[in-house]
Amino acid sequence: MTGVRDASGTDHRHPAGIEFNPVPANLCSRGPAGPAAVVTERRSPAATHAAGRDTIAAIATGPSPAGIGVVRVSGPRAAAIAAAVTGRTPRPRHAHYAAFIDADGRPIDHGIALYFPAPHSYTGEDVLELQGHGSLPLLAALLRRVFALGARPARPGEFTERAFLEGKLDLAQAEAVADLIAAGSEGAARAALRSLDGAFSQAVERLQRGLIELRVQVEAAIDFPEEEIDFLGDGQIAARLTALRAEHAALLAAARRGQRLRDGLHVVLVGPPNAGKSSLLNALAGSERAIVTEIAGTTRDLLRETVSIDGIELTLVDTAGLRGDSVDPIEREGIRRARAERERADLLLAIVEDGDNGAEAALRNELADAPVLWLHSKIDRTGSAPRRSEIDQRTHLWLSAATGAGLPLLADCLREHAGLGDAAEGAFTARARHVAALQRCGDQLDLAATQLTAGHGELVAEELRSAHDQLGAVTGAFGSDDLLGEIFSSFCIGK
């Protein structure tokens, strides 16, 4: 629940992104949003009211029969629709039991009417919620009645879009509404709720404030060159820029963790032939998805399987065994695809047989710069105990896919990499577009540091301005209509 305080200090609470019957996750499509084209400022609530919006309505609960179903209405005709449907204008923020009547005065259903006058509502407009029985024919009849009274069908995400345009939520918080509904695990749901509560936005805004202060200092040094103090060369600006870059790096790392919480992990199994990759895939999937034989090179092509382990959604990709001496053109093509697939991975599981030091050394050279978790397999044959060790700043696990020994250790490591370990207590969800904008911001900060070292004050100021714009694209302070349309079109209807 979120709240809005009026002039008297009263806290008016209302549902924000949480329905009485949450919409099933499979009704919400998710997709990456492209980079924003920068505009000068975010539109103001006054400007949106001046546009004279119409009234929208939609069923805000799922498509399956349920105990409760909700028809949501937002816009200037909400109060009139409430009076026509219930025979009275409901008292603001009070639940009224009433018959929902059609144009002839006959009851369509009986339920609860809730009315939230602007601006103290989820969308910032007059909002009406009609909560009846979850019968789909009844909800459809009630919705037709609302349409006949002057509302139109809401577009996907239009309620939350209006909340954003009215300043009730920034763009990152608005996207968190969809992420909360689509969360596939308790950890992901908690992280989405933290984003909805503003944890991500507040971190971005703190970085923005620091950037603004630094920009003011740089601009002053440029505009007043006759001052005796050399602001650009006295080390203060360099120190503040260094601190901002460190703060940015921490935020980018948290956003990447948040993206993994939202989207899951893309995990690619690599290693020499017959090291146990397919056996591990089968063990994690809980079924015989991959063919396992003693013949090296059995896996020729990529095999994908989506599994959930301790609340983590994993896309596992089994690949052909890596070796350079194959003369089989099909196997060589499989090896080429394996190398291409690992470039897209969030994590590589490098699998070698326990005790095969030569294979490990060869693979270590090939995977030197990749995110790797080393797995020493088939310990049921060597007699090694399942364990975890940190070697050369890499995690190594000893396990057996055949017996399951060591698999709980692997699950713990995957949880940590997905952001569900001890460091996840303050985690928030993020999207690919957030990470991309933060990466571009970091690039601009790096360029600013380079220009500062060279003494090019005007170029430092320009790079800092560009970095600030990229941060604005995260929360919607700077954005384009095309970006907003793409984001909100991926929401559920009724949100």
Side-chain angles (χ1 to χ4, degrees):
M1 305 287 279
T2 62
V4 178
R5 292 189 182 273
D6 62 15
S8 68
T10 303
D11 192 2
H12 303 295
R13 296 193 174 272
H14 56 272
I18 303 176
E19 304 289 358
F20 288 92
N21 279 341
V23 180
N26 60 4
L27 292 180
C28 300
S29 60
R30 295 182 295 181
V38 174
V39 295
T40 56
E41 63 181 31
R42 178 173 166 181
R43 66 195 71 187
S44 67
T48 56
H49 276 308
R53 289 208 198 100
D54 49 7
T55 299
I56 58 173
I59 297 172
T61 41
S64 301
I68 297 174
V70 178
V71 170
R72 175 177 282 175
V73 183
S74 180
R77 291 197 55 79
I81 291 172
V85 171
T86 67
R88 59 189 291 188
T89 300
R91 185 180 173 189
R93 292 173 295 278
H94 282 70
H96 296 273
Y97 179 76
F100 303 151
I101 58 176
D102 64 16
D104 298 323
R106 296 173 300 187
I108 300 172
D109 194 6
H110 293 79
I112 302 295
L114 291 166
Y115 174 59
F116 306 95
H120 305 305
S121 71
Y122 176 58
T123 64
E125 304 174 320
D126 290 349
V127 169
L128 171 68
E129 287 195 357
L130 301 172
Q131 303 176 8
H133 296 91
S135 161
L136 297 183
L138 287 180
L139 289 171
L142 183 57
L143 189 60
R144 287 195 299 271
R145 170 70 166 144
V146 170
F147 290 156
L149 291 168
R152 67 160 174 82
R155 301 189 309 273
E158 190 169 5
F159 290 96
T160 305
E161 180 182 15
R162 292 189 176 196
F164 164 71
L165 294 174
E166 290 298 321
K168 293 293 184 179
L169 305 167
D170 65 32
L171 194 52
Q173 288 175 297
E175 291 167 300
V177 174
D179 294 343
L180 181 61
I181 294 171
S185 69
E186 185 178 349
R190 286 197 302 266
L193 189 57
R194 279 190 282 269
S195 282
L196 179 58
D197 287 341
F200 186 20
S201 302
Q202 290 162 12
V204 171
E205 288 165 5
R206 282 193 297 270
L207 188 57
Q208 284 179 311
R209 286 194 298 270
L211 261 175
I212 291 171
E213 293 171 1
L214 183 58
R215 290 180 64 190
V216 168
Q217 194 172 359
V218 170
E219 295 289 351
I222 295 171
D223 292 342
F224 300 99
E226 69 279 1
E227 296 293 331
E228 295 181 2
I229 301 175
D230 181 6
F231 290 102
L232 289 176
D234 69 358
Q236 293 185 18
I237 290 178
R240 295 189 70 174
L241 180 55
T242 298
L244 278 176
R245 292 172 72 192
E247 184 179 350
H248 166 270
L251 179 58
L252 178 57
R256 284 174 171 153
R257 184 168 63 246
Q259 184 186 358
R260 291 194 295 268
L261 278 170
R262 176 184 183 270
D263 297 338
L265 288 178
H266 185 75
V267 179
V268 177
L269 283 62
V270 299
N274 211 26
K277 299 184 297 298
S278 298
S279 296
L280 181 61
L281 175 72
N282 289 341
L284 294 175
S287 63
E288 297 297 319
R289 288 288 291 116
I291 298 174
V292 178
T293 72
E294 294 294 330
I295 302 172
T298 299
T299 301
R300 300 295 189 92
D301 203 354
L302 305 178
L303 178 62
R304 303 176 190 274
E305 181 74 5
T306 300
V307 302
S308 180
I309 300 176
D310 291 347
I312 314 163
E313 184 175 295
L314 303 176
T315 299
L316 298 173
V317 185
D318 188 15
T319 62
L322 300 177
R323 59 180 177 181
D325 58 352
S326 175
V327 296
D328 186 330
I330 298 177
E331 185 180 5
R332 291 179 66 87
E333 174 61 17
I335 294 171
R336 185 196 68 78
R337 294 186 182 188
R339 290 194 166 102
E341 184 68 20
R342 75 186 189 204
E343 298 299 322
R344 303 176 50 245
D346 296 314
L347 180 66
L348 299 179
L349 299 184
I351 305 169
V352 294
E353 285 192 53
D354 183 29
D356 191 348
N357 297 327
E360 180 183 347
L363 198 57
R364 187 185 299 115
N365 292 332
E366 188 167 351
L367 305 179
D369 299 324
V372 177
L373 176 59
W374 286 92
L375 305 182
H376 301 264
S377 65
K378 303 183 182 180
I379 61 172
D380 55 305
R381 299 183 181 182
T382 63
S384 297
R387 68 185 189 276
R388 171 177 177 169
S389 295
E390 303 298 324
I391 303 173
D392 296 330
Q393 298 182 328
R394 300 280 192 173
T395 300
H396 290 247
L397 301 179
W398 279 258
L399 51 77
S400 168
T403 66
L407 291 185
L409 294 175
L410 176 57
D412 289 342
C413 287
L414 292 173
R415 283 175 54 83
E416 292 172 12
H417 195 82
L420 292 175
D422 294 338
E425 186 59 33
F428 49 77
T429 53
R431 295 186 170 202
R433 77 165 195 91
H434 301 148
V435 172
L438 288 172
Q439 287 173 329
R440 292 192 296 270
C441 174
D443 292 342
Q444 302 301 145
L445 292 176
D446 292 343
L447 289 173
T450 300
Q451 299 297 348
L452 181 60
T453 301
H456 300 152
E458 291 84 356
L459 295 179
V460 173
E462 177 61 22
E463 301 300 349
L464 292 178
R465 183 198 63 78
S466 297
H468 190 214
D469 287 351
Q470 294 302 333
L471 288 179
V474 173
T475 57
F478 301 92
S480 70
D481 288 341
D482 288 344
L483 173 63
L484 300 184
E486 184 170 350
I487 288 172
F488 288 110
S489 68
S490 69
F491 279 48
C492 307
I493 294 175
K495 295 308 301 177

